[in-house]
Amino acid sequence: PRELEPRFPFPRRSTVARAVEGLARAGKVEHMAAVLSQAWRRAAALQREQDRAVAMPDERMCAMAANAAVDRKRIDLATDIIKEMVGNGVPAGPYSFSVLIKGYGREGRANAVESLLVAMAERKVPRDVVVYNSAIDAFVRSGLMDKALDTIEAMKKDNCPPNTRTYNTILKGLVAQGDLARGFELRREMAAMGVEPNSVTRNTLVDGCVRLGQFDDARKLVDEIS
């Protein structure tokens, strides 16, 4: 019965999460961040540890909010959301870092991306394929192809196998710079690593061959597909 249900003098995490998700979908990222800040203040004011535990936002909620801010080109707000989370005792994990890396990458701030990768290593936060792919995308957007290629080597040392998306992202950058030689070399590396090329891989190379007048190579790629 409803009258026997426990009553809470504060919004629980699930309630805050719904509000944050709804505001994120509506694009109201400033209001979303304000709801999170209010939730942190309310949780901090609670005296019982068990009450704080069910009231505090968690990393998933904060990273999702930060991602919504990044999608609205508000990396400043995304950074503030994660900083507030860490300041309240919730450590940033791979999800939070990948969101910030994506945000700084979209703004072409490669130095900030490198700093985040270093911070992850210092704090012993696992760098998974999502984190590395976000970093590679950032370097490609900035035209830093050597850094993007170096990141693949870092992935291997970190026992984090590159996937098709990893290679396709770099491939697009190489083709955009007209570097088909390294593009085909990368495709050979994919095969050696056991990573299956997909239609994006082939189409990227075909487009590059056509643009640079290498029609024989384009024809060979088309023949492979058929």
Side-chain angles (χ1 to χ4, degrees):
R2 187 174 297 278
E3 62 269 16
L4 295 181
E5 291 179 2
R7 297 178 180 277
F8 294 91
F10 52 87
R12 303 187 73 178
R13 182 185 299 125
S14 57
T15 303
V16 176
R18 285 193 178 189
V20 168
E21 288 171 6
L23 290 166
R25 282 195 300 271
K28 306 291 185 182
V29 291
E30 290 279 1
H31 295 297
M32 174 195 70
V35 167
L36 273 175
S37 293
Q38 186 179 52
W40 286 120
R41 289 194 298 271
R42 283 177 171 165
L46 296 171
Q47 302 207 352
R48 298 197 312 164
E49 186 176 342
Q50 56 264 46
D51 289 342
R52 291 196 296 274
V54 297
M56 284 176 57
D58 58 14
E59 195 214 356
R60 178 188 170 281
M61 187 193 313
C62 295
M64 182 275 296
N67 191 58
V70 165
D71 287 343
R72 290 280 168 172
K73 300 182 179 179
R74 291 294 309 276
I75 183 59
D76 58 324
L77 187 59
T79 302
D80 288 344
I81 288 168
I82 300 302
K83 281 183 178 178
E84 185 176 38
M85 177 189 78
V86 173
N88 279 281
V90 178
Y95 185 14
S96 298
F97 275 102
S98 66
V99 167
L100 294 180
I101 287 170
K102 179 176 80 170
Y104 284 115
R106 286 181 177 179
E107 292 196 352
R109 295 167 65 177
N111 288 339
V113 170
E114 289 189 90
S115 296
L116 286 168
L117 290 174
V118 170
M120 291 185 77
E122 291 174 347
R123 299 176 196 179
K124 300 190 181 336
V125 178
R127 292 177 291 186
D128 60 16
V129 70
V130 175
V131 168
Y132 275 120
N133 283 352
S134 296
I136 285 171
D137 182 69
F139 295 140
V140 169
R141 285 173 182 266
S142 299
L144 302 172
M145 298 312 304
D146 286 336
K147 283 189 182 297
L149 289 162
D150 287 345
T151 304
I152 282 190
E153 297 308 311
M155 292 177 77
K156 295 174 187 174
K157 291 177 183 176
D158 213 5
N159 294 316
C160 179
N163 60 17
T164 304
R165 182 169 184 174
T166 310
Y167 284 106
N168 283 348
T169 301
I170 298 180
L171 192 58
K172 287 179 181 178
L174 292 172
V175 169
Q177 292 186 356
D179 194 348
L180 271 180
R182 280 209 289 183
F184 277 103
E185 184 181 327
L186 196 68
R187 183 171 177 270
R188 287 190 290 273
E189 181 181 322
M190 287 180 74
M193 290 287 293
V195 179
E196 275 294 317
N198 59 13
S199 60
V200 175
T201 315
R202 299 184 187 96
N203 290 343
T204 300
L205 284 170
V206 168
D207 289 345
C209 289
V210 171
R211 198 178 327 130
L212 293 176
Q214 297 184 17
F215 302 116
D216 288 340
D217 288 330
R219 191 178 301 111
K220 289 176 185 176
L221 287 165
V222 172
D223 289 341
E224 281 184 20
I225 299 170
S226 53

Short mmCIF file of all heavy atoms in Angstrom, two decimals, residues 26 49 58 88 125 150 166 186 225:
data_model
loop_
_atom_site.label_atom_id
_atom_site.label_comp_id
_atom_site.label_asym_id
_atom_site.label_seq_id
_atom_site.Cartn_x
_atom_site.Cartn_y
_atom_site.Cartn_z
N ALA A 26 15.92 17.66 -24.35
CA ALA A 26 15.31 18.92 -24.80
C ALA A 26 16.36 19.96 -25.16
O ALA A 26 16.01 21.05 -25.65
CB ALA A 26 14.39 19.46 -23.72
N GLU A 49 24.77 8.89 6.09
CA GLU A 49 25.54 8.45 4.92
C GLU A 49 24.67 7.65 3.96
O GLU A 49 24.82 7.78 2.74
CB GLU A 49 26.71 7.59 5.39
CG GLU A 49 27.64 7.20 4.26
CD GLU A 49 28.87 6.43 4.74
OE1 GLU A 49 29.16 6.49 5.94
OE2 GLU A 49 29.50 5.78 3.89
N ASP A 58 25.57 9.91 -9.83
CA ASP A 58 26.69 8.99 -10.06
C ASP A 58 27.42 9.37 -11.35
O ASP A 58 27.02 10.31 -12.05
CB ASP A 58 26.22 7.53 -10.10
CG ASP A 58 25.15 7.29 -11.17
OD1 ASP A 58 24.97 8.17 -12.05
OD2 ASP A 58 24.50 6.23 -11.12
N ASN A 88 33.02 16.33 -5.65
CA ASN A 88 32.10 15.74 -4.68
C ASN A 88 32.44 14.28 -4.38
O ASN A 88 31.63 13.56 -3.80
CB ASN A 88 30.66 15.85 -5.18
CG ASN A 88 30.07 17.22 -4.92
OD1 ASN A 88 29.65 17.53 -3.80
ND2 ASN A 88 30.05 18.06 -5.94
N VAL A 125 43.36 5.22 -14.72
CA VAL A 125 42.02 5.02 -15.29
C VAL A 125 42.18 4.23 -16.58
O VAL A 125 42.95 4.64 -17.46
CB VAL A 125 41.32 6.36 -15.59
CG1 VAL A 125 39.94 6.13 -16.21
CG2 VAL A 125 41.18 7.18 -14.31
N ASP A 150 50.42 7.25 -34.03
CA ASP A 150 51.12 6.89 -32.80
C ASP A 150 50.15 6.33 -31.76
O ASP A 150 50.52 5.48 -30.94
CB ASP A 150 51.84 8.11 -32.22
CG ASP A 150 53.08 8.50 -33.02
OD1 ASP A 150 53.55 7.67 -33.83
OD2 ASP A 150 53.57 9.63 -32.83
N THR A 166 38.59 2.46 -35.48
CA THR A 166 39.90 3.07 -35.26
C THR A 166 40.59 3.32 -36.60
O THR A 166 41.05 4.43 -36.90
CB THR A 166 40.79 2.14 -34.40
OG1 THR A 166 40.08 1.71 -33.24
CG2 THR A 166 42.07 2.83 -33.99
N LEU A 186 47.92 1.24 -44.19
CA LEU A 186 47.06 1.05 -43.02
C LEU A 186 46.08 -0.09 -43.26
O LEU A 186 45.78 -0.88 -42.36
CB LEU A 186 46.31 2.35 -42.72
CG LEU A 186 45.66 2.45 -41.34
CD1 LEU A 186 46.71 2.53 -40.25
CD2 LEU A 186 44.75 3.67 -41.25
N ILE A 225 35.22 -5.97 -53.93
CA ILE A 225 33.89 -5.93 -53.33
C ILE A 225 32.94 -6.88 -54.07
O ILE A 225 32.16 -7.62 -53.48
CB ILE A 225 33.32 -4.49 -53.37
CG1 ILE A 225 34.23 -3.57 -52.56
CG2 ILE A 225 31.90 -4.46 -52.82
CD1 ILE A 225 33.91 -2.11 -52.73
#
